[in-house]
Amino acid sequence: MALSVKGITKQIRSRKIVDQVSFEVKKGEVFGLLGPNGAGKTTIIRMIVSLMKRTSGEIFINGKSLDKDFKGALNEIGAIVENPEFYPYMTGYQNLVHYKRMSRKPVSEERLWEVAKLVKLEDALKQKVKTYSLGMRQRLGVAQAILHQPSLLILDEPTNGLDPQGIREFRGYLRELAGSGVSVLVSSHLLSEMELMCDRYAIIEKGKLIHIETMAETTTVKQDDRRDILFATDDSESAKQTVEKQLHFPVSIVDDTRILVSAAYKDAAVINATLVGSGCNVYEIHFEKKTLEDRFLELTNHTTGEENQ
């Protein structure tokens, strides 16, 4: 495992900010850490990167214990916690050279340019960082974080302030990194983006881990799942009466040509056949898809902590 978190707890006086949290991140996986503000996500990340001490629990990075082999474990991590900071009067290249010199692992010039190409900054590397857009600075942050070839990249709210195009590009970079074998642990409040970005996710609430699931399990339509199914027909009133009288499914009219039927996925074929058999033309069938946001709201009780941890 790239990361193994075992029963970590952070207690301040009588208050447990993080309470017995355990999860694992596989090699080449993008793993999301979700939760309401104040749930403890950033506290967990700070404990993993050793910016905050744990009260109890163990953390292993690429099999190395953070307690028994501190330097070895930290060598396996690249991280951006909050906004990446650089020297604005220096070029992107000079900033990366500065970080290269500080690395405990040797970093070649070839590796520096390889990373710049990966985050698509090779053409801007000789420009001063003060001329960079926010998206370019975020990409430079990722370049700096993976310069020493870590097995685990940790990102806390990495898309803050990015425009839609920047977010989309950033998502693409993370998928490329995961494809190359780097594991990514990412925390974000943008659920729609996390849905597109992550392979699995964990939900933290009030300092406790309440759910872990793959994104496929969340969004895949199951045969017996009951959901709203939209049928576009030539006459919604006639279609509504047909479905209610013959099949007894709840139906609501959207407009003159569309109805919503509350039924299981597997029932759609029967509804379609019934409508067509009754003389109603069916032009479109659309299934309501369950989203990560739906699952998140279903599992959390929307309680906000006293502060954003």
Side-chain angles (χ1 to χ4, degrees):
M1 290 292 172
L3 172 66
S4 182
V5 173
K6 298 183 177 182
I8 61 170
T9 296
K10 179 62 179 179
Q11 183 168 338
I12 299 178
R13 299 185 181 88
S14 61
R15 182 186 174 201
K16 286 187 177 179
I17 300 172
V18 174
D19 188 3
Q20 290 289 316
V21 168
S22 300
F23 62 89
E24 293 180 326
V25 179
K26 302 171 186 176
K27 184 177 180 180
E29 175 180 52
V30 180
F31 188 92
L33 205 55
L34 311 179
N37 286 342
K41 305 185 299 297
T42 297
T43 299
I44 290 169
I45 285 176
R46 286 179 172 273
M47 286 192 286
I48 292 171
V49 300
S50 294
L51 290 175
M52 183 181 286
K53 288 185 178 180
R54 286 161 278 139
T55 302
S56 61
E58 294 181 290
I59 296 170
F60 296 85
I61 296 122
N62 210 21
K64 298 174 182 177
S65 168
L66 204 52
D67 296 321
K68 297 177 181 177
D69 185 7
F70 179 75
K71 290 182 179 179
L74 280 190
N75 273 343
E76 300 291 337
I77 298 177
I80 301 177
V81 181
E82 298 174 350
N83 293 323
E85 296 293 337
F86 298 100
Y87 295 104
Y89 57 87
M90 290 166 56
T91 65
Y93 173 80
Q94 288 170 331
N95 271 279
L96 289 183
V97 167
H98 177 66
Y99 282 106
K100 184 179 84 162
R101 288 170 180 160
M102 291 193 296
S103 173
R104 294 186 74 251
K105 288 182 181 178
V107 177
S108 67
E109 183 75 5
E110 182 183 8
R111 172 61 182 171
L112 188 152
W113 284 100
E114 176 188 322
V115 165
K117 185 176 181 180
L118 180 64
V119 298
K120 296 181 173 58
L121 272 181
E122 67 269 36
D123 293 334
L125 217 54
K126 295 300 178 73
Q127 297 175 25
K128 291 186 177 180
V129 169
K130 65 182 179 182
T131 68
Y132 281 18
S133 66
L134 180 57
M136 292 169 73
R137 289 199 297 274
Q138 289 289 74
R139 282 185 270 158
L140 188 63
V142 172
Q144 169 263 309
I146 63 173
L147 200 57
H148 61 294
Q149 295 183 291
S151 58
L152 176 67
L153 177 62
I154 298 177
L155 305 169
D156 187 22
E157 299 288 354
T159 57
N160 268 356
L162 295 185
D163 60 23
Q165 180 64 27
I167 292 173
R168 184 176 182 177
E169 289 176 355
F170 194 82
R171 187 203 317 146
Y173 305 143
L174 293 192
R175 293 306 327 175
E176 283 186 43
L177 283 173
S180 70
V182 177
S183 303
V184 182
L185 173 65
V186 57
S187 168
S188 176
H189 66 282
L190 297 177
L191 297 181
S192 59
E193 279 306 314
M194 293 291 270
E195 183 175 328
L196 295 170
M197 191 185 298
C198 298
D199 301 302
R200 285 194 304 141
Y201 65 92
I203 295 178
I204 308 295
E205 185 174 36
K206 295 180 180 178
K208 294 184 178 182
L209 190 151
I210 63 170
H211 190 73
I212 293 182
E213 190 171 72
T214 68
M215 204 59 70
E217 288 171 332
T218 296
T219 58
T220 300
V221 178
K222 299 178 180 65
Q223 290 288 320
D224 294 321
D225 279 359
R226 198 169 187 86
R227 62 190 62 239
D228 285 337
I229 308 172
L230 181 99
F231 289 86
T233 72
D234 50 3
D235 185 344
S236 58
E237 186 60 47
S238 174
K240 179 178 187 293
Q241 291 178 15
T242 298
V243 174
E244 287 180 337
K245 287 180 180 179
Q246 295 190 38
L247 300 174
H248 310 293
F249 290 124
V251 182
S252 59
I253 292 177
V254 177
D255 54 33
D256 290 343
T257 60
R258 295 181 298 166
I259 61 170
L260 274 179
V261 183
S262 179
Y265 178 82
K266 63 183 180 181
D267 295 322
V270 176
I271 297 168
N272 181 55
T274 302
L275 287 169
V276 173
S278 300
C280 289
N281 292 317
V282 177
Y283 302 109
E284 180 185 353
I285 302 174
H286 176 75
F287 296 92
E288 177 197 55
K289 183 181 176 182
K290 196 167 197 176
T291 65
L292 176 59
E293 182 179 16
D294 295 330
R295 191 70 171 133
F296 180 82
L297 295 175
E298 180 184 308
L299 290 166
T300 59
N301 63 16
H302 324 300
T303 301
T304 302
E306 293 176 9
E307 59 184 353
N308 185 5
Q309 297 156 358

